[in-house]
Amino acid sequence: MTEEVKEWWELTARWFQDDIDLDVGVNWTGMSADNDLRLLLDVAGKDVLELGCGGGQCSVALAERGANVTGIDLSTEQLAFARDLSDERDTDVAFRQGDVTDLGMFDDDSFDVAFNAYVFQWVEDLAACFREAHRVLRSGGRFVFSMPHPVYGLADPESHEIEESYFDTGRQVTPQDDLDVDMVTYRHSVADVHNALVGAGFRVERMLEPGSADPDDYEEGPWGEHRPELLAKLPSTLIFEGRAA
């Protein structure tokens, strides 16, 4: 991750956590822990790594399920929130500061499971991240993650008309009127993600696009970015399951 991404999170972590107010759980869709989907299966006794743990809601949830959890994040502010949450819930999670594209602090074959929810839009070099995830996973280890679906953000939330190109991948800058630092994210096509996984040595076992055609099945996000009528037309979340060879 770049320094500008880190700077963004150091400035906004507390505001973000207050506004999003996530429940403890694995928030695959980025909106609520209700849609857990049980993708990680039984993690009791497993060594689990969360890549980009943010406020720790997912890490704490898995620790409560009996996993031995390590969470890594770029932001000291996010990690401070995560440690406070872990203390409040009386869980034992090892939180470490670091970049998901360089997991040199961990030995090869250290974990049974690696995962994250809604992190990889902040990562420019997915290939490096996936190679590192594969390295620290034991043979047969599972890698599960969700991210914003690249098609959802292309449509205008009011008109539903496509306003951006799916092929305009890479660095995306969203100006912030009330901050000195703009929000920088990275758009990856579905093919980019899939091919980076295969190139890192993973066997892709499943890809999911959770959603419903009924607008009543959705609620708006905390900042109005999740529009029920649009969510009923386009997937907002992309999930991959892979296994280390």
Side-chain angles (χ1 to χ4, degrees):
M1 291 185 183
T2 63
E3 284 301 314
E4 57 191 352
V5 171
K6 179 179 179 180
E7 186 176 3
W8 160 263
W9 279 113
E10 298 293 30
L11 285 173
T12 63
R14 292 288 172 169
W15 160 80
F16 173 86
Q17 293 296 342
D18 288 344
D19 268 22
I20 200 167
D21 193 26
L22 284 175
D23 293 331
V24 170
V26 184
N27 312 293
W28 294 114
T29 64
M31 292 181 280
S32 127
D34 295 337
N35 206 350
D36 187 320
L37 304 181
R38 295 288 166 177
L39 292 170
L40 297 179
L41 307 177
D42 183 8
V43 295
K46 302 288 188 181
D47 296 319
V48 177
L49 175 64
E50 182 175 9
L51 297 166
C53 61
Q57 291 89 349
C58 302
S59 285
V60 168
L62 294 192
E64 291 180 341
R65 293 190 200 172
N68 306 311
V69 185
T70 299
I72 181 174
D73 201 272
L74 197 65
S75 166
T76 57
E77 287 294 320
Q78 290 276 53
L79 289 169
F81 187 98
R83 292 186 178 107
D84 287 345
L85 178 64
S86 181
D87 289 344
E88 290 171 11
R89 306 280 293 210
D90 195 26
T91 58
D92 185 14
V93 180
F95 290 112
R96 307 279 294 274
Q97 184 179 18
D99 191 321
V100 299
T101 65
D102 181 2
L103 303 177
M105 66 183 72
F106 304 119
D107 293 335
D108 296 359
D109 309 318
S110 294
F111 299 96
D112 302 301
V113 177
F115 83 101
N116 72 45
Y118 267 63
V119 171
F120 287 152
Q121 68 270 33
W122 304 99
V123 179
E124 181 178 17
D125 192 352
L126 284 185
C129 177
F130 293 171
R131 287 194 300 268
E132 281 290 85
H134 190 276
R135 179 184 65 79
V136 302
L137 281 170
R138 297 174 181 129
S139 180
R142 301 183 70 237
F143 186 26
V144 186
F145 61 87
S146 68
M147 59 194 301
H149 201 297
V151 305
Y152 183 77
L154 304 179
D156 179 85
E158 299 294 341
S159 69
H160 300 185
E161 293 182 359
I162 300 299
E163 293 194 326
E164 300 181 49
S165 171
Y166 177 77
F167 304 104
D168 179 19
T169 57
R171 187 173 182 267
Q172 310 289 314
V173 179
T174 305
Q176 306 292 296
D177 294 335
D178 54 346
L179 293 174
D180 294 332
V181 179
D182 292 333
M183 183 175 70
V184 175
T185 56
Y186 298 90
R187 183 182 294 155
H188 307 283
S189 71
V190 176
D192 289 340
V193 181
H194 178 275
N195 293 338
L197 281 169
V198 173
F202 285 102
R203 182 175 72 248
V204 177
E205 296 191 329
R206 191 160 56 142
M207 186 183 82
L208 301 173
E209 298 168 296
S212 163
D214 186 353
D216 291 338
D217 288 337
Y218 302 96
E219 295 181 1
E220 288 198 5
W223 308 290
E225 77 283 15
H226 293 120
R227 303 297 181 91
E229 293 293 336
L230 183 57
L231 288 164
K233 294 180 178 180
L234 295 174
S236 64
T237 299
L238 178 63
I239 299 175
F240 276 92
E241 292 185 63
R243 193 172 296 272

